[in-house]
Each structure stands twice: as C-alpha cells, then as structure tokens.
Amino acid sequence: MFRFFNYCSQGRGAWLLMAFIAFMLECAALYFQHIMKLQPCVMCIYERVALFGIMIAGLVGAIAPRNVILRWVAIIIWIYAAWRGLELAWEHTMLQLYPSPFASCDFFVNFPEWLPLNEWAPAVFEATGDCAVKQWDFLGLDMPQWLIGVYAVYLLVAIVVAISQFFPARSKI
C-alpha cells in the first residue's frame, strides 16, 4: 500500500486531482455564499483559507513530483493546511453545538498586514455571518461538521503519503 502511495505521489495526476477537489470545494463554498445567499462567518473564511492551502499544496506537488524537496514541501503544506482546517472545523462545530455568550468567534477576519485577503478579494474572504448560526444542513450535518470529515480525509491521506515516502516506489506495471 505504501509503495503504491509513493508511486502516486511521484506523478502529476494525483497532485492535480487533490488540487482540483479542493478547487471544487472552494467553488461549492462560493455557490453557497453568492447563489444560496448564505453568510460566511470568520471561521468559514479561515476554513476556506485552509482549503486554499491544500489546493496550493497540490499545485506545488504537481510542479515537479519527482523532485524530493518539492514533494516534501507540498506534503508539509498539505499536512499543515489539513490539520489547521480540521482544528478550525472542530472549533466551529463546537461553537454551533454548544453556543455560549462567553465563547464566540471574532467579528472581523484577521489576516496579516502583508496578506490582506479580505481587501484583495472581498467577494471570497469577507466575513458577514455569525459563527454560532446554523444556516445549512445536509443529512443532519451542518457545514462545519461536513468539513470535519473533509479535512480528516485530507489529513489521513496526507499522513499515509508522508509515511509512504520512506518506502521505495512500486514499479510501473
């Protein structure tokens, strides 16, 4: 199994597939925001940034998948973005399941001065909603609960791919 994942990580297809899936999830988020008129909160925006991190990891990995250094950079970005996304989705879920006047999210997004994403692309990164409000659900799970599953899968696969780097790649069949 690990040899197969190592083999896949050395090809562009797997990296581009990962980036494409993250891109489609971003498109879904924008559909919910602009077509269904759901108001993204600060946590939603941060979760969206984590998904962009996974997309960037896929693109970095696709640049030169046989280059060990670039592949490890992509894996590290992937693991970090998936971990942060999982943390954010978990915290967001806890805010919605157990609302409290003492625990809430920020009113405005807080990006670094050198990367003011909310000013550069307000249609994507401007938060207008409340983190504690459930606006949408599907099969009994709301958006952050679905994102827990998404980020957990991304993180699990990233860890398997990272471990697989220590096994020789399977030869072509």
Side-chain angles (χ1 to χ4, degrees):
M1 176 180 87
F2 289 118
R3 290 176 186 208
F4 173 74
F5 278 97
N6 187 339
Y7 173 74
C8 289
S9 73
Q10 293 183 32
R12 275 195 183 85
W15 291 104
L16 290 174
L17 178 63
M18 181 177 82
F20 178 73
I21 292 170
F23 175 74
M24 293 310 294
L25 289 169
E26 291 289 352
C27 289
L30 292 173
Y31 173 82
F32 286 123
Q33 179 180 350
H34 296 291
I35 306 300
M36 292 181 64
K37 301 296 184 193
L38 302 181
Q39 302 295 317
C41 66
V42 171
M43 298 293 287
C44 297
I45 299 300
Y46 293 154
E47 291 159 3
R48 192 177 287 183
V49 171
L51 207 49
F52 270 111
I54 293 171
M55 189 173 18
I56 288 168
L59 296 175
V60 168
I63 291 172
R66 294 206 178 267
N67 182 310
V68 175
I69 295 171
L70 265 181
R71 194 167 61 238
W72 271 107
V73 167
I75 290 169
I76 290 168
I77 294 170
W78 181 8
I79 289 172
Y80 178 74
W83 175 255
R84 287 294 296 143
L86 185 59
E87 279 183 330
L88 290 163
W90 180 263
E91 184 180 339
H92 193 178
T93 298
M94 292 301 111
L95 283 173
Q96 288 188 348
L97 292 178
Y98 308 107
S100 167
F102 304 109
S104 66
C105 63
D106 297 332
F107 293 111
F108 304 103
V109 289
N110 188 15
F111 291 118
E113 285 184 24
W114 54 271
L115 191 67
L117 294 175
N118 56 323
E119 294 173 14
W120 293 347
V124 178
F125 296 108
E126 191 63 46
T128 56
D130 182 4
C131 293
V133 175
K134 295 180 184 181
Q135 300 182 59
W136 176 88
D137 72 12
F138 180 67
L139 299 176
L141 300 174
D142 58 6
M143 191 94 53
Q145 290 171 328
W146 280 103
L147 285 174
I148 287 173
V150 167
Y151 287 119
V153 168
Y154 268 124
L155 183 60
L156 179 65
V157 174
I159 290 169
V160 169
V161 169
I163 293 170
S164 76
Q165 300 307 301
F166 299 105
F167 291 81
R170 170 184 139 205
S171 61
K172 288 186 178 181
I173 295 175

